[in-house]
Amino acid sequence: MAQQAAPQQIQRVEITGSSIKRVAKEGALPVQVVTFDAIEKAGITDTEQLLRTISASGTGADNMTSGNNVFGADADRVSGGASFASLRGLGPNATLVLLNGRRVGNHGASGKAVDLNSIPLGAIQRVEILKDGASAIYGTDAIGGVVNFILKTDYKGLELSTTLNGTEAGGGMNRRVSALGGLGDLQKDGWNVMASVTHDNNDKLSSSQRDFANGFQPSRGLSPDTTGTPFANILTGPGTALGTGFKMPGDSTTYLQAGLLSLQGKCDTIPGMSQYQSDLWKDVTAVTRSKYSCAYDYGGDYVISFPVERTNAVSRGTLKINDDHKVFFELLGSRTEATASLTPVQISTSLANGAAYPVNGPYYQDLSQYIPTYDKTKPIIYKWRSTPWGDRTQNNVTENYRLLVAAEGLLLGKYDYKLGLSRAESTTKTALVDGYGYTDKIYAALGSGKINPWLAPGQTQTAEAMQLIESTKYKGAFQHGKTTMTQLDGSVSGEVLQLPAGAMSMAAGFDLRKETYDFAQDVDATKILLSPGNAPLNGASRNVRAVYAELLVPVLKDLEVQLAVRRDDYSLIGATTNPKVSFRYQPTSNMVLRGSANKGFLAPSFTQLYAGRLSQELPNGIIDQEGCAKNPGNPLFCAIPRLNYNTGGNPNLKPETSKQGTLGIVVEPVRGFSASLDFWAINIQDRILNRTPQVVLANWQFLPEYIIRDQATGVIDHVEAGWINAAGLKTRGADLGLQADGKYEGYKWVAKLDGTYMKSFKFAEFEGQPFKEQVGVFNSRDIYLRWKHNASISVSKGDWSALFTQNYSTGYNDQVPNGGKGTPPPGFVPRVKHYEKYDLTGTYTGYKNATITVGILNLFDKTPPFTAHNVDEVVGAGWDPRVADARGRSLSVNLKYKFM
């Protein structure tokens, strides 16, 4: 009977990084696989959390907390509660996110990349992360790598689960319910239909609920760099109460700003306010504006994570035509509603905008007892954090869907084929809920004198004033964006020639796409004070046509070479051809050598090319380095009260191009232990980056054409900022993987470590500048850490199992106060400490069809390491959400029941 038994068929699978199906084994390219079981046992409930555990992921501002931001060096003003993947820290545009090896639509508002919130994590079987550039296989936007979410494809039964995750310190409760069901057996019945629905509800977590979120720690080099306070500071100006400047008794210095509470030494009587620490910021904000002013810790009044309600659904139906052919459909849908909020609008009044406080107003403030030259017969202009208007609150709703109809199987009994037609669409709608109003109405209301910008502790605005404030607000639909992608793709692969060392395999395919992006305002945003969002971009579209081919050549019995080439033709940019070569050499049964070399090409996004110009205002008094050197002490150059800048798209952008490669080894020296080490290197030219006004001003020698001055006086009128092609970058590093498993007295154990060592990340902002090392150094967009790893050990016996996980990242050099000039205070520590977080979960399956998982996440309640970075540039007062978790210790409970 044993002799008559049919030989077992070895299933061939397609591994991320190749279109050739083959027996699964350690391949030529470094691919990390994370199973859904591991995701669930680790207490991970969304894809952003998952990507944080991947050591090759960048440490940047692509998370939901950092994305809730309208200021800062590279703020994405329309991300609307989205989060994005960024492998190697190269940005979302350079990381390709796939679902079952095919594309999904980009985020409807930003249009730049796939929103991780749209991925149906509850229906995932595994996630494959290709840590090597794959432009030759998948397309030009895979320079950083590929994250491929693989769905369950032949599920039968019904499974219900629920998860609760609550923090010990309060706030940020997460709740999830999900259902997964399927009918039909593909092998027996010839068909299968499955569907999954997951609903998440995450509560708000505010900075006020965490002691470490404190932006006023001057002894450590941290204090608010803003004089926009809830109790207004008074400004100078011709024809106003303070005139063009004032002197204090016994002091010959001419000052440009003053506040009553500062003069009285009582700034801290108002919650969140403090005396402005002039010595800490004397080279960033002029002392003449800050010495007699209060400051406000708006960073400490920030929302750490805002309320999010998310629903994901996916359905897949498969029909087996015969043993060689099957057809299927996939329908993916998601809806994410995020209520984002920021601190109240900061307003600077002037005689020109009509918002000056009138002389006859009931709350007129007289400072003449402190400032002899104070003229109480003149109106007052001031800078104010307008708390009566409420927090700036936006409601962002993003809806995604993708419909795929496809076929796959065998041709002529030996060639695998795939053919698919899909349509993806993503829409984002933003409504203003509170805190925003019409500029002219707000200025008129302030100019009436009925609103008091100097409320003492315990005081409130009058009913008349609050009614007037409400009449200025705009609430309702504000802006909307939409992306679409229509794709027809197909491929064929199989063995084509028998060589002495084995069969040579090939794959060839095509990819035809039409992509569109539209972004528009529902109301004239120019009429809303400090309006969020971007300028309109109406109806941009492009066609992409691509063909590709792969060849897997067994050169020797133990050596195979993979050759790939892809040609992409963009209707608006042009064509590019990108080759790739990789090898796999197995000299012994327990060792594999592998490597690759390839070229990449990243086309600019619609927003980078065509976003309209948007006028904004820098938040603080700015120093014009060139003008101040020529006109020392002149506030028009050395203490600019307000400076406008424009930002937006650049139709003259060139694509990014890259050359990159990997070289690695995989060994299994003893049974039950394996290790992999892969070195990687990436060079990119014409890097596409958002040029901020701060960068332009800091590089005035290189970019004088972007600093627009009044020809008669030389005073800066405004700064032209936006997207540019930077000189380029060079990055080098290594990925380490360790795994061991075994048994001991009936216990099974598995230990793993995945780590990334970044040897170098050098960047040059403009042509002619030297490449500057960024590893271990504070940056306003991405922090390039020397080392990150995820380590775990799991133990199981019978119905019980436990998982202990560590996530670790090294420290880095902090941003130095005062723009890096002068001597920081004695308590300033120039190094941000390392961060490590431990999670412990236990799972019990002793009840029939049920699984119970209980975990303590952040087991030792590790708080984020202190950082003194300026909150005007990076979210987080005293901490950094790019590096650390602010939730603290939490209890996670997951209950799952399968109906058989």
Side-chain angles (χ1 to χ4, degrees):
M1 291 179 62
Q3 291 174 344
Q4 295 175 356
Q8 183 178 358
Q9 184 177 0
I10 300 177
Q11 184 179 7
R12 294 179 301 156
V13 296
E14 183 178 324
I15 303 297
T16 301
S18 175
S19 297
I20 300 172
K21 286 191 174 183
R22 58 198 299 199
V23 177
K25 61 180 178 179
E26 195 70 49
L29 301 177
V31 178
Q32 180 179 350
V33 179
V34 184
T35 65
F36 180 74
D37 182 62
I39 293 171
E40 202 168 43
K41 286 183 177 179
I44 295 171
T45 57
D46 61 56
T47 45
E48 180 180 304
Q49 294 176 21
L50 172 63
L51 265 295
R52 278 180 175 265
T53 68
I54 305 301
S55 64
S57 285
T59 308
D62 301 303
N63 57 80
M64 295 181 72
T65 300
S66 297
N68 182 27
N69 186 7
V70 295
F71 52 82
D74 287 294
D76 184 349
R77 296 163 59 87
V78 293
S79 61
S83 61
F84 304 97
S86 175
L87 294 178
R88 305 292 184 213
L90 297 180
N93 295 47
T95 300
L96 183 57
V97 175
L98 302 175
L99 187 67
N100 283 349
R102 284 186 165 98
R103 293 172 178 265
V104 291
N106 287 345
H107 184 245
S110 70
K112 65 183 179 183
V114 174
D115 177 12
L116 295 175
N117 291 308
S118 67
I119 301 298
L121 200 62
I124 293 298
Q125 178 176 316
R126 68 185 185 277
V127 184
E128 297 178 351
I129 299 98
L130 173 63
K131 304 176 185 180
D132 185 28
S135 294
I137 310 296
Y138 294 110
T140 64
D141 43 0
I143 287 180
V146 179
V147 182
N148 189 8
F149 294 88
I150 311 296
L151 293 174
K152 297 179 175 73
T153 56
D154 190 17
Y155 184 85
K156 185 170 68 173
L158 176 62
E159 177 180 304
L160 302 178
S161 69
T162 182
T163 301
L164 292 176
N165 186 305
T167 62
E168 181 179 359
M173 167 72 82
N174 296 338
R175 296 174 293 277
R176 156 177 281 195
V177 293
S178 64
L180 173 65
L183 296 172
D185 186 295
L186 198 58
Q187 299 303 320
K188 295 180 180 179
D189 305 324
W191 61 274
N192 176 261
V193 176
M194 60 154 285
S196 170
V197 179
T198 302
H199 182 77
D200 296 274
N201 201 315
N202 299 341
D203 290 347
K204 178 180 178 180
L205 176 61
S206 299
S207 292
S208 60
Q209 295 173 286
R210 296 294 181 267
D211 292 339
F212 57 78
N214 175 11
F216 184 69
Q217 302 182 57
S219 64
R220 305 174 77 180
L222 174 63
S223 72
D225 180 25
T226 179
T227 56
T229 52
F231 191 99
N233 288 302
I234 298 177
L235 305 174
T236 53
T240 69
L242 275 182
T244 57
F246 63 93
K247 291 181 172 62
M248 298 298 287
D251 187 347
S252 61
T253 304
T254 299
Y255 294 96
L256 303 172
Q257 192 168 306
L260 175 62
L261 294 183
S262 176
L263 294 168
Q264 294 175 339
K266 297 180 179 180
C267 288
D268 57 2
T269 59
I270 304 293
M273 284 177 47
S274 59
Q275 174 61 44
Y276 189 97
Q277 303 298 296
S278 299
D279 290 342
L280 198 58
W281 300 108
K282 60 180 180 296
D283 294 302
V284 174
T285 298
V287 175
T288 53
R289 289 199 174 277
S290 63
K291 184 174 182 178
Y292 295 106
S293 298
C294 296
Y296 174 58
D297 183 15
Y298 63 94
D301 195 22
Y302 207 75
V303 175
I304 292 176
S305 58
F306 41 81
V308 177
E309 191 169 353
R310 179 171 51 240
T311 302
N312 285 307
V314 63
S315 177
R316 179 182 173 105
T318 307
L319 177 64
K320 184 178 177 182
I321 305 299
N322 53 42
D323 289 340
D324 290 339
H325 303 282
K326 62 181 179 182
V327 294
F328 63 91
F329 77 88
E330 284 177 4
L331 179 60
L332 168 71
S334 68
R335 184 183 190 274
T336 301
E337 182 174 359
T339 304
S341 61
L342 299 164
T343 52
V345 167
Q346 178 178 274
I347 298 175
S348 293
T349 69
S350 68
L351 295 179
N353 62 30
Y357 195 84
V359 174
N360 59 353
Y363 311 114
Y364 188 89
Q365 195 168 87
D366 183 5
L367 302 184
S368 57
Q369 62 175 310
Y370 304 98
I371 302 173
T373 58
Y374 193 86
D375 188 351
K376 57 185 179 182
T377 66
K378 299 289 194 305
I380 301 171
I381 60 174
Y382 55 90
K383 181 180 285 188
W384 184 39
R385 181 72 60 172
S386 56
T387 50
W389 265 264
D391 288 345
R392 288 169 284 176
T393 308
Q394 307 170 27
N395 181 260
N396 302 286
V397 177
T398 299
E399 295 179 342
N400 300 273
Y401 86 85
R402 190 195 71 167
L403 175 63
L404 167 70
V405 179
E408 60 183 40
L410 289 175
L411 295 174
L412 305 178
K414 61 178 182 178
Y415 296 108
D416 295 294
Y417 76 90
K418 296 193 305 181
L419 183 66
L421 176 64
S422 64
R423 167 77 175 185
E425 187 174 297
S426 176
T427 60
T428 298
K429 297 179 180 179
T430 298
L432 302 186
V433 178
D434 200 13
Y436 292 97
Y438 291 103
T439 303
D440 56 350
K441 291 184 178 181
I442 290 175
Y443 287 163
L446 294 176
S448 71
K450 296 179 181 179
I451 298 169
N452 185 1
W454 301 286
L455 287 176
Q459 291 183 332
T460 59
Q461 300 288 342
T462 65
E464 181 185 16
M466 291 305 300
Q467 187 176 2
L468 180 59
I469 289 170
E470 285 297 316
S471 71
T472 69
K473 292 182 180 180
Y474 174 78
K475 298 179 181 180
F478 177 63
Q479 62 190 16
H480 60 274
K482 180 179 180 180
T483 64
T484 68
M485 182 186 68
T486 304
Q487 181 180 28
L488 176 65
D489 68 274
S491 68
V492 61
S493 68
E495 298 177 356
V496 293
L497 184 63
Q498 193 68 34
L499 298 178
M504 181 172 68
S505 301
M506 61 77 66
F510 68 91
D511 179 3
L512 307 176
R513 305 194 308 274
K514 181 176 182 179
E515 301 170 346
T516 70
Y517 177 58
D518 183 85
F519 186 83
Q521 305 286 353
D522 298 298
V523 65
D524 186 353
T526 62
K527 295 183 178 181
I528 294 176
L529 185 61
L530 294 183
S531 170
N534 288 345
L537 193 167
N538 297 320
S541 67
R542 66 185 177 197
N543 297 315
V544 185
R545 296 173 294 178
V547 292
Y548 61 91
E550 286 183 69
L551 200 62
L552 187 65
V553 183
V555 179
L556 301 172
K557 181 180 179 180
D558 300 316
L559 173 64
E560 63 183 31
V561 175
Q562 179 184 348
L563 305 173
V565 64
R566 181 182 178 107
R567 182 172 177 82
D568 292 85
D569 189 349
Y570 283 75
S571 60
L572 299 177
I573 299 167
T576 176
T577 301
N578 296 289
K580 179 165 188 167
V581 58
S582 57
F583 75 91
R584 179 187 186 276
Y585 177 50
Q586 188 169 359
T588 66
S589 61
N590 59 359
M591 178 186 294
V592 172
L593 301 175
R594 61 190 180 189
S596 68
N598 58 288
K599 294 176 65 177
F601 172 101
L602 178 60
S605 70
F606 288 120
T607 300
Q608 292 168 344
L609 286 169
Y610 305 121
R613 305 299 287 176
L614 184 70
S615 295
Q616 301 169 65
E617 182 181 282
L618 286 170
N620 281 299
I622 296 298
I623 297 175
D624 170 11
Q625 295 184 35
E626 181 183 13
C628 188
K630 296 176 181 178
N631 304 273
N634 187 334
L636 295 176
F637 299 94
C638 304
I640 306 172
R642 294 177 300 278
L643 183 60
N644 292 325
Y645 69 96
N646 298 326
T647 188
N650 180 358
N652 298 316
L653 286 176
K654 296 182 292 184
E656 294 183 13
T657 57
S658 70
K659 294 180 180 179
Q660 55 208 103
T662 63
L663 184 63
I665 182 172
V666 183
V667 295
E668 189 178 4
V670 296
R671 182 180 178 86
F673 174 76
S674 63
S676 65
L677 180 64
D678 291 279
F679 297 92
W680 47 267
I682 305 171
N683 291 352
I684 295 180
Q685 290 182 318
D686 296 320
R687 179 94 162 117
I688 300 172
L689 290 178
N690 195 6
R691 185 207 302 112
T692 68
Q694 292 93 333
V695 168
V696 173
L697 290 167
N699 294 274
W700 57 271
Q701 308 98 319
F702 301 95
L703 301 171
E705 68 272 26
Y706 297 106
I707 301 174
I708 312 303
R709 299 179 180 274
D710 183 279
Q711 293 184 354
T713 64
V715 173
I716 298 178
D717 180 78
H718 68 278
V719 176
E720 289 291 340
W723 294 99
I724 64 163
N725 283 112
L729 66 85
K730 302 174 182 178
T731 180
R732 308 282 186 271
D735 294 322
L736 175 66
L738 303 174
Q739 179 167 328
D741 60 77
K743 296 180 180 179
Y744 181 75
E745 295 186 353
Y747 290 92
K748 296 180 181 179
W749 62 271
V750 179
K752 295 182 179 181
L753 182 144
D754 286 291
T756 295
Y757 173 82
M758 185 170 286
K759 182 179 185 297
S760 176
F761 194 106
K762 293 183 177 180
F763 173 67
E765 185 87 45
F766 307 109
E767 291 293 344
Q769 290 184 331
F771 280 79
K772 184 178 180 181
E773 183 61 69
Q774 305 292 328
V775 172
V777 178
F778 173 85
N779 246 306
S780 59
R781 179 66 192 176
D782 287 84
I783 299 176
Y784 304 99
L785 300 177
R786 182 70 69 189
W787 173 259
K788 293 171 63 177
H789 76 241
N790 174 272
S792 66
I793 181 167
S794 62
V795 179
S796 62
K797 183 179 182 181
D799 297 325
W800 293 92
S801 65
L803 177 67
F804 185 59
T805 305
Q806 180 203 45
N807 284 285
Y808 178 92
S809 58
T810 55
Y812 56 94
N813 293 338
D814 204 359
Q815 185 183 35
V816 181
N818 194 30
K821 301 175 182 178
T823 303
F828 173 71
V829 178
R831 185 81 177 167
V832 178
K833 294 181 179 180
H834 71 274
Y835 179 71
E836 57 187 354
K837 183 171 78 76
Y838 295 90
D839 301 327
L840 177 63
T841 62
T843 301
Y844 179 68
T845 57
Y847 298 112
K848 185 178 180 181
N849 300 333
T851 302
I852 303 172
T853 299
V854 178
I856 302 176
L857 309 185
N858 198 347
L859 179 64
F860 302 113
D861 201 20
K862 181 75 171 182
T863 58
F866 174 79
T867 165
H869 68 255
N870 190 340
V871 185
D872 274 349
E873 297 181 351
V874 173
V875 171
W879 74 288
D880 197 324
R882 299 173 298 176
V883 175
D885 178 15
R887 300 182 78 243
R889 182 160 48 215
S890 65
L891 176 66
S892 175
V893 179
N894 174 263
L895 305 176
K896 182 166 61 177
Y897 189 84
K898 292 183 178 180
F899 298 86
M900 305 302 291

